[in-house]
Amino acid sequence: MQIEMSIKGLMVDPITNTPIVILRDKDGQRVLPIWVGIFEANAIALQIENVTTPRPMTHDLLRNVIHDLNASVQKIVVCDLQENTFYALIYLAMNGDTLTIDARPSDAIALALRTRAPIFVEESVIDNAKPFDVAGDKPDAERLHKWLESLDPDELGKYKM
């Protein structure tokens, strides 16, 4: 089953200094942190903050190509998690057909923001995600897990480039 989610915030992991996109369901019952690269985080942050760049960024270019091909992004789905790596699909509507395109979740999220497409996550991905295992070593993993549990909603979104 797919669960619709939205971006609750973008922040930096205090242990690894890696950007994290925080997805949350509409009821606020489920939260999914996804660690992303600095450039992808920047692309997401620019769109969240409605910053216009003088020239199209990669995700803007992709949006423009999709539009010029008379296609539209129906949704993106974070569909799998294998060995601490998330996978996503972009669903395009084109000429009455639906096409699915493999993508990194960060790229799919950046595109979804630009096209106002909904973001979904497979329930199995949420159930199997263990963000505290990503850090690898036990003391830091436990500290990260406690930090994620104690996040103040006001702190989310305070990502600075």
Side-chain angles (χ1 to χ4, degrees):
M1 182 170 104
Q2 295 177 354
I3 298 166
E4 187 168 0
M5 301 188 96
S6 61
I7 296 176
K8 177 61 181 158
L10 187 59
M11 55 195 339
V12 176
D13 179 332
I15 296 167
T16 64
N17 283 331
T18 303
I20 306 172
V21 175
I22 308 291
L23 298 179
R24 186 179 73 173
D25 70 355
K26 290 180 180 183
D27 300 329
Q29 299 299 311
R30 296 177 181 202
V31 175
L32 180 67
I34 299 177
W35 279 253
V36 299
I38 188 78
F39 298 112
E40 294 80 7
N42 185 44
I44 292 167
L46 287 173
Q47 191 62 34
I48 288 172
E49 296 170 9
N50 292 316
V51 174
T52 305
T53 57
R55 298 291 298 142
M57 301 291 286
T58 304
H59 300 95
D60 301 314
L61 173 65
L62 183 56
R63 177 202 56 215
N64 294 345
V65 168
I66 291 168
H67 179 265
D68 289 351
L69 291 173
N70 293 318
S72 62
V73 179
Q74 293 178 316
K75 65 181 177 180
I76 68 109
V77 178
V78 179
C79 59
D80 200 5
L81 174 62
Q82 296 178 25
E83 298 179 19
N84 292 326
T85 299
F86 290 93
Y87 293 80
L89 292 171
I90 299 168
Y91 286 78
L92 293 182
M94 186 171 170
N95 299 326
D97 292 326
T98 298
L99 307 169
T100 56
I101 301 169
D102 181 34
R104 296 181 301 180
S106 55
D107 291 327
I109 290 167
L111 181 62
L113 288 172
R114 284 162 173 76
T115 60
R116 301 186 194 281
I119 299 168
F120 289 89
V121 178
E122 289 288 349
E123 188 171 20
S124 61
V125 171
I126 297 169
D127 292 343
N128 293 326
K130 295 183 173 40
F132 47 90
D133 286 348
V134 174
D137 89 42
K138 197 78 167 147
D140 279 350
E142 287 174 10
R143 191 172 73 197
L144 178 59
H145 180 62
K146 287 178 184 172
W147 173 75
L148 285 170
E149 285 180 338
S150 68
L151 285 177
D152 178 354
D154 293 333
E155 288 298 308
L156 296 174
K158 297 207 175 182
Y159 178 81
K160 300 287 183 228
M161 288 305 298

